[in-house]
Amino acid sequence: MRGSGPGADEERRARLGPVVEDARAVWERGRDGDVLQEFLRGHGCDGVDAVFVTMWVVGCGLEEAQGMYFGAPCRRDDLEFHNAFVEALEREATGPAGIPE
């Protein structure tokens, strides 16, 4: 799987370097997470990559970066998919009466 082996972080940083630099300028202009996410989305930077770029640009941890990602209006579809997926996993992990199997 791409991005999960040794050196994956270095590969991701190299691949996303130009986006990070452009996103840093966007962040510095207004420090607005919604504007940052709109910029990233417009440049095809989504999902885990967008969360990593947010962490690197903003200088925050995973929780804050995920909050900025899923909280941005332009990421509403991503949030809905995420919530539906997690709910399906939870249903799969429990029996018919909602009791973990």
Side-chain angles (χ1 to χ4, degrees):
M1 181 164 102
R2 184 175 145 204
S4 62
D9 191 48
E10 293 82 18
E11 183 273 333
R12 178 174 270 127
R13 281 184 184 270
R15 182 171 43 82
L16 295 174
V19 175
V20 169
E21 291 309 311
D22 291 343
R24 187 167 282 123
V26 169
W27 175 251
E28 290 299 324
R29 277 196 294 271
R31 297 190 177 275
D32 185 321
D34 292 348
V35 171
L36 176 62
Q37 292 307 313
E38 187 69 44
F39 170 83
L40 294 175
R41 184 172 182 257
H43 286 79
C45 186
D46 299 301
V48 174
D49 284 347
V51 172
F52 273 114
V53 170
T54 301
M55 289 171 62
W56 298 331
V57 168
V58 175
C60 64
L62 179 61
E63 185 176 350
E64 186 178 349
Q66 284 179 322
M68 290 175 84
Y69 179 86
F70 285 122
C74 69
R75 302 289 191 185
R76 188 162 292 124
D77 290 344
D78 297 53
L79 177 60
E80 290 173 6
F81 174 81
H82 169 78
N83 288 342
F85 184 76
V86 169
E87 288 171 12
L89 286 175
E90 289 172 345
R91 281 192 306 273
E92 189 69 27
T94 61
I99 301 170
E101 295 182 334

